[in-house]
Amino acid sequence: MKVFIDPPNSLILFDLVERSGHEPLSTMALIQEKIENTEIDMPPMNVSPDDVMKGLKYAGIEVPSGVRGRLALWGPMIEEAEAAIIMEDCPYGFGCVGCHRTTLMVRYLIKKKGIPVLNVNYPNDEEEGKELVIKMKEFLEGLK
């Protein structure tokens, strides 16, 4: 199954989803495609007019461009997702958690889609880390 991970650039979530035999939907793969695209000469200035239009599908023109830019990438992934894992209470520097408006919109789109969702808290110690892995493993096994 295709599993959207939030934050979408979390290597921890990506790795755990991939090890379970599912396809993690993440920012890293999308950005790699954009950077390797020969039509774009100057990464990170790799936003096309089509990207701008995609972002407008999820948020109006009055919404800050950073929100629209993120949603241009993440919105289509959410549409493609068959399940999602959301990590709550992440430290500010973990993944892309600096834009609360984008986070709210992503959570809304996931809820609206009605797919299975696992909400987990960011682990603060080794014991919580083990519990996270167990919860994710049980959730991902249940998707098969």
Side-chain angles (χ1 to χ4, degrees), residues 5 8-11 14 25-33 77:
I5 56 175
N9 59 340
S10 168
L11 293 174
F14 184 97
L25 298 175
S26 72
T27 302
M28 289 85 69
L30 290 176
I31 291 173
Q32 180 180 3
E33 288 174 23
M77 285 192 297

Side-chain angles (χ1 to χ4, degrees), residues 30-47:
L30 290 176
I31 291 173
Q32 180 180 3
E33 288 174 23
K34 288 188 163 296
I35 290 172
E36 291 178 349
N37 184 342
T38 56
E39 296 175 18
I40 298 173
D41 295 329
M42 297 177 6
M45 305 297 278
N46 52 3
V47 177

Side-chain angles (χ1 to χ4, degrees), residues 35-100:
I35 290 172
E36 291 178 349
N37 184 342
T38 56
E39 296 175 18
I40 298 173
D41 295 329
M42 297 177 6
M45 305 297 278
N46 52 3
V47 177
S48 71
D50 290 338
D51 293 329
V52 174
M53 296 306 292
K54 285 179 191 173
L56 287 171
K57 177 179 178 180
Y58 304 101
I61 192 73
E62 70 281 355
V63 173
S65 60
V67 174
R68 286 194 318 273
R70 289 177 182 95
L71 291 174
L73 290 174
W74 302 342
M77 285 192 297
I78 293 169
E79 290 180 11
E80 192 179 344
E82 299 167 289
I85 298 174
I86 298 172
M87 187 171 283
E88 306 278 359
D89 300 324
C90 300
Y92 189 76
F94 179 82
C96 189
V97 296
C99 182
H100 188 63

